[in-house]
Amino acid sequence: SGPVGVGFIGTGMISDTYLENLTSFPDVQVVMLGGRNQTRVRSQAEKHRVEAWGTVAEVLAHPGVELVVNLTVPAVHARLTSQAITAGKHVWSEKPISIDRDAGRALLEQAAAAGVLLGVAPDTVLGPGVQTARRAIARGDIGVPLSAQTVMQYPGPDIFHPDPEFLFAEGGGPLFDIGPYYLTTLVHVFGPVAAVAAVGSKARATRTVQVGDRRGAKFPVEVPTHVSAVARFAGGGVSQSVFSFESPLVRMGVVEITGTEGTLVVPDPNQFTGAVMITRAPGLATMTAPPVWESVPLVGVLAGRGTGVLDLARSIRTGCQPVASGALAYHVLDTLVAIDEAVASGETVAITSTVGPVPLVADGWDPFAATL
């Protein structure tokens, strides 16, 4: 009983928002930070008033750490998650769960054998934005959902990230970096993916760091930086998606779900909230008029990154499964890899994994309540 002890592996750019939130949730206690760059680790510990800091090995050996938050780069997610499971820790990993299917499957099997829970980002889909949209669909507000389109396009993370190389390496690119937000949302709505087809391109062989102390440094681009994908879901729905680090025309967070009775606009799945809107089919005489929008009132408590860690922590105590589960993350990874394979081969690729219906976040779920 009592708060779940949390330790961090990795204290990079994304750790600030995690720490700001997790140090404010009463059901968890951040007890130690760890990573390779000890100067950075110590600085983050002092900034967020975390008492202990040290190496990765010291985090995994800390008896007060029950749950490890893995914020390392994608290429080492699987290795460090496996080390944490071996140490008997529950794990929350940033997305993706791994960068290949074999490592992802192995993690699910290892966690099950060890009797620990595995949760994986994104947890944005647990916020009021996507959860309100899902409730609207469940009520039948747009009839039977049939199709979706999503768009995420901008010039790329090298315009703001001081160390962007990993975002253009294997396990990165717009597909693996941003794709999990959109594909996870689509699986929440339509259920498991059955097959995908895709095309992709890479505009430049190298890019340049544009901000920070390393500004001007060049680095290789190892993956497609523009991907267009279509998916067919096992339940019959279809989707089309654009993931691009190549566009000077910024369009972020476009998620539109069309059903038999209307189209639902879902907020940016990389955010926790936003406007949920519905438009109905116009009559012939009004086809050229602007759409008429109905606003769907938001439900739920807005928190932020770390919400999934908290859901995992509460699941540890209650014996439940987390909403942002390892099984869901593996199915999304399987889909991402299949899209990558479709880009390379030009063929439609069947998805071999599946996942059960993703539950809604419970009514009244409050990150700021003490429940343990």
Side-chain angles (χ1 to χ4, degrees):
S1 63
V4 173
V6 174
F8 275 56
I9 297 177
T11 53
M13 189 173 178
I14 195 65
S15 68
D16 272 319
T17 185
Y18 269 97
L19 286 163
E20 287 164 6
N21 291 316
L22 289 174
T23 53
S24 69
F25 298 158
D27 280 348
V28 296
Q29 180 182 3
V30 181
V31 298
M32 188 172 187
L33 307 184
R36 290 190 306 170
N37 184 336
Q38 290 290 283
T39 301
R40 170 71 177 177
V41 171
R42 179 177 181 175
S43 173
Q44 287 295 84
E46 292 173 348
K47 178 179 178 180
H48 295 280
R49 299 181 180 178
V50 178
E51 290 186 3
W53 59 274
T55 65
V56 171
E58 287 170 333
V59 171
L60 297 183
H62 194 298
V65 172
E66 300 173 72
L67 190 167
V68 167
V69 176
N70 180 358
L71 302 185
T72 57
V73 298
V76 298
H77 280 176
R79 176 169 60 84
L80 287 174
T81 294
S82 178
Q83 289 177 12
I85 294 171
T86 298
K89 312 297 187 183
H90 307 274
V91 182
W92 171 267
S93 174
E94 253 303 330
K95 46 74 187 168
I97 185 174
S98 65
I99 61 173
D100 66 84
R101 294 188 183 98
D102 288 347
R105 279 195 301 266
L107 289 177
L108 296 185
E109 293 168 0
Q110 184 186 3
V116 300
L117 295 180
L118 178 58
V120 183
D123 58 1
T124 47
V125 292
L126 307 184
V130 171
Q131 291 295 309
T132 296
R134 286 198 60 196
R135 281 170 165 78
I137 293 170
R139 284 194 303 267
D141 288 5
I142 59 168
V144 178
L146 301 173
S147 63
Q149 68 171 356
T150 77
V151 180
M152 188 293 305
Q153 60 182 43
Y154 77 115
D158 48 331
I159 66 174
F160 66 82
H161 203 295
D163 299 294
E165 287 90 338
F166 75 96
L167 294 166
F168 294 87
E170 292 297 328
L175 179 61
F176 282 83
D177 180 36
I178 305 297
Y181 298 105
Y182 293 81
L183 289 171
T184 301
T185 300
L186 293 175
V187 173
H188 271 243
V189 172
F190 291 102
V193 183
V196 296
V199 293
S201 60
K202 179 172 67 175
R204 289 168 279 173
T206 61
R207 291 221 180 191
T208 304
V209 179
Q210 298 185 42
V211 297
D213 296 339
R214 301 175 53 248
R215 183 175 182 177
K218 294 189 179 299
F219 60 90
V221 177
E222 299 177 359
V223 294
T225 45
H226 180 99
V227 175
S228 296
V230 294
R232 176 172 55 82
F233 296 84
V238 295
S239 68
Q240 56 183 11
S241 299
V242 171
F243 309 107
S244 183
F245 285 170
E246 296 292 354
S247 177
L249 175 60
V250 176
R251 296 185 71 212
M252 306 285 281
V254 178
V255 179
E256 300 167 355
I257 312 291
T258 294
T260 53
E261 297 176 23
T263 293
L264 175 75
V265 172
V266 183
D268 187 342
N270 196 5
Q271 305 296 325
F272 284 82
T273 190
V276 180
M277 309 289 287
I278 295 174
T279 189
R280 309 288 177 184
L284 181 61
T286 60
M287 282 187 63
T288 58
V292 176
W293 292 104
E294 304 169 16
S295 180
V296 182
L298 290 172
V299 296
V301 178
L302 177 61
R305 277 181 169 80
T307 301
V309 179
L310 176 62
D311 182 49
L312 177 60
R314 288 176 174 174
S315 298
I316 292 168
R317 291 283 186 265
T318 61
C320 299
Q321 288 293 316
V323 177
S325 66
L328 171 60
Y330 177 75
H331 179 67
V332 170
L333 171 72
D334 191 13
T335 304
L336 292 170
V337 174
I339 291 171
D340 207 33
E341 291 171 345
V343 169
S345 69
E347 303 291 332
T348 298
V349 179
I351 309 300
T352 57
S353 66
T354 189
V355 67
V358 182
L360 289 163
V361 171
D363 290 332
W365 197 84
D366 184 357
F368 301 102
T371 69
L372 301 180

